Amino acid sequence: MTNQQLVDTILNRFDGEIVVPNQWRVDGSNGKQYTVKWDKYHRNYSCNCLGYTYRRRCRHTTQISDSFKQQYGVK
């Protein structure tokens, strides 16, 4: 799969848009939009939603991460 196909798959699946490289704007279940970021130095995702703020994980980061893992066959 090409990079463009991967981007299209993510956009269709999450109804999001890429803001800048390694950042995605995703729609939350309550209609708000959140930004998920990939920190390549610390190798982790972050999100500006309240769930991530309090628990350091949320469904937005999990969905993005799982999507890439599935795409590249990582378990």
Side-chain angles (χ1 to χ4, degrees):
M1 180 175 278
T2 67
N3 285 341
Q4 185 59 47
Q5 290 172 324
L6 177 61
V7 168
D8 291 340
T9 300
I10 291 169
L11 291 177
N12 289 333
R13 183 168 181 175
F14 299 110
D15 293 330
E17 62 183 279
I18 296 177
V19 181
V20 295
N22 298 319
Q23 289 186 20
W24 301 267
R25 187 173 301 136
V26 295
D27 294 330
S29 59
N30 58 4
K32 293 184 179 179
Q33 290 188 332
Y34 302 105
T35 302
V36 174
K37 297 178 184 179
W38 169 251
D39 182 341
K40 64 182 180 178
Y41 299 107
H42 294 105
R43 299 182 58 120
N44 70 335
Y45 291 94
S46 64
C47 184
N48 65 340
C49 72
L50 287 176
Y52 186 84
T53 301
Y54 292 116
R55 294 185 299 273
R56 290 293 179 214
R57 72 177 302 156
C58 67
R59 71 177 185 87
H60 312 112
T61 58
T62 302
Q63 287 177 339
I64 294 284
S65 175
D66 289 350
S67 146
F68 282 112
K69 286 178 183 176
Q70 182 181 16
Q71 183 65 38
Y72 293 106
V74 177
K75 294 184 181 184

